Amino acid sequence: MSRSAKGMRLQWTRRIIQAVSLFCLAEFSYYGIFRCPFAVPYVSCANCPVVQCPGKKLWLLVLLGILASGLLFGRAFCGYSCPVGMLNELFGKVAVFKGKISGGFARVAGFGKYLAALVCAYLFFAMHNPRWAVPIRTGEFIKSTLLTFEHAFPLWLARTFIVLGALLMGLLVPYFFCRFVCPTGGVLEVLKRFSLFRYRMADNCTDCGICNRVCGLETRPALDNCTNCGECKGACPVNAIELKGAAGSCAKQQTDG
């Protein structure tokens, strides 16, 4: 099978996984952003009075799945299963400033996701994840969302509008939320350093930069924001990108990273 055919098969596999994940997690994601009364959504579902949220049944399985995927494949959850990541991928197709945000600004802005993860950890562990909105337990889909906004505290509104603003920024800068804001991405980026499998650049890499140009997150294999989606693999003209285990060659990676 040719390199391009393998790359196409991988991307079709990713699309199928994305579709299944969207079916399973889209409503949970919606509730986390628009209905969850807690400061940090998705992590206190067992104690949440919003009985309509599917997260009451899914949250532990999802969290354990994200943790396991992070230890095995780094940020693969972002590229294969996250509904917000899929939305960012769609926005990235029409983003205005493709390839324009790089260098020092991108590196500094990239620390935003780690800062967001630290803030979430502080709110959860030190402040016991306070409620920033009055929980709307039941009701019609749209009406309940509007009631949540109506009875939310200023901090909840600020958090929600920051998230929505960062998502909409994806129409300007590709994957703005995933690259610079997402706390889950920040945690997975740390786990990626210890993950068992990741795409790596082999020693025959010629630094042509094609992998960076085809990547929606504008990165290279195993570097910051790489989600192991494998889209760059089929584009590499010298076949220098491979999914390898922790013991695989990483000479090129050490040079660039």
Side-chain angles (χ1 to χ4, degrees), residues 202-226:
D203 292 337
N204 61 325
C205 171
T206 61
D207 283 326
C208 66
I210 290 178
C211 56
N212 181 273
R213 291 196 290 275
V214 302
C215 177
L217 287 102
E218 301 178 348
T219 187
R220 301 181 72 184
L223 298 188
D224 191 42
N225 290 319
C226 174

Side-chain angles (χ1 to χ4, degrees), residues 72-73 197-200 228 233 241-245:
L72 288 172
F73 299 104
F197 302 99
R198 72 188 77 165
Y199 279 99
R200 299 168 186 267
N228 276 336
K233 177 177 169 56
I241 300 173
E242 293 291 341
L243 182 65
K244 290 183 176 294

Side-chain angles (χ1 to χ4, degrees), residues 15-25 86:
R15 298 301 181 205
I16 293 171
I17 295 174
Q18 283 182 314
V20 173
S21 298
L22 187 64
F23 177 79
C24 297
L25 301 179
M86 294 176 219

Side-chain angles (χ1 to χ4, degrees), residues 184-199:
T184 304
V187 173
L188 289 177
E189 197 69 52
V190 174
L191 291 181
K192 188 173 78 178
R193 300 175 186 276
F194 310 99
S195 64
L196 293 180
F197 302 99
R198 72 188 77 165
Y199 279 99

